[in-house]
Amino acid sequence: MRRYVLFALAAVVAPAAALAVLGWVSLRQWERSADLLFREQARDMAAMATEKVEMVFRQAQDEVLERLEALVAASGADAEALDGWLRDTPLVEALYLFDRGGMPRYPRDPAAADVGALAAVVAEVSRGFRERGGPPARAAGGDPVQASVLRGPGRGGRRGGRP
């Protein structure tokens, strides 16, 4: 009987225990692999969502600039037309137009609170930028600012690539 018990332990219990340990280790590795795969997929989905939001925002930004450029080409810097455009464009919080010399065209008298930020933006936008167009600038306070070169009446469309 003793031999049978030893044989049963050696032949059945030991391999079963080894198989249980290997199965447990295998399940833990699969769990870690699944966790890693899930995190990678979540990161990829977040990156794709971010790219989509950026693409939609750039498209909206381009449409807003095209409408503004058409308005400026049609009416110049007419304050009433620009006020209406600003009311109808919720994406834009404030609008300031400057001529090539950096003089304000709209509004003629900027609010006192905006003067410092506007001076920082105008100083940041170099003469070459005003002539060729370029990427958006950032105001001194960290507020995002879209700086674009628009053509006035009778001068055609925007110059350069993306404003």
Side-chain angles (χ1 to χ4, degrees):
M1 180 75 153
R2 210 173 217 186
R3 284 185 189 169
Y4 179 71
V5 171
L6 288 175
F7 176 73
L9 282 175
V12 176
V13 175
L19 185 61
V21 168
L22 289 175
W24 183 81
V25 169
S26 226
L27 283 173
R28 296 300 145 236
Q29 288 176 342
W30 286 348
E31 184 180 27
R32 282 191 298 262
S33 293
D35 249 7
L36 179 63
L37 180 63
F38 179 75
R39 283 193 304 268
E40 288 175 355
Q41 287 176 342
R43 187 175 33 247
D44 291 345
M45 291 286 287
M48 288 189 310
T50 300
E51 289 171 5
K52 180 69 173 172
V53 167
E54 287 174 350
M55 181 182 70
V56 169
F57 182 72
R58 280 193 303 268
Q59 181 181 7
Q61 187 178 20
D62 289 345
E63 290 171 2
V64 164
L65 286 173
E66 287 172 6
R67 285 185 32 235
L68 177 61
E69 188 171 56
L71 180 66
V72 169
S75 68
D78 179 54
E80 286 183 32
L82 291 171
D83 287 341
W85 178 88
L86 195 54
R87 269 191 313 275
D88 296 339
T89 311
L91 187 61
V92 178
E93 184 177 321
L95 173 67
Y96 299 96
L97 294 178
F98 296 90
D99 62 15
R100 289 192 183 276
M103 298 302 295
R105 297 280 313 265
Y106 175 84
R108 294 279 182 204
D109 299 315
D114 298 333
V115 171
L118 293 174
V121 171
V122 171
E124 188 175 327
V125 178
S126 69
R127 178 174 172 79
F129 177 88
R130 287 193 298 267
E131 291 175 357
R132 293 185 308 273
R138 294 248 177 231
D143 295 330
V145 173
Q146 172 66 44
S148 297
V149 176
L150 301 176
R151 298 294 199 131
R155 291 190 177 168
R158 253 182 292 157
R159 279 200 282 176
R162 277 190 42 72

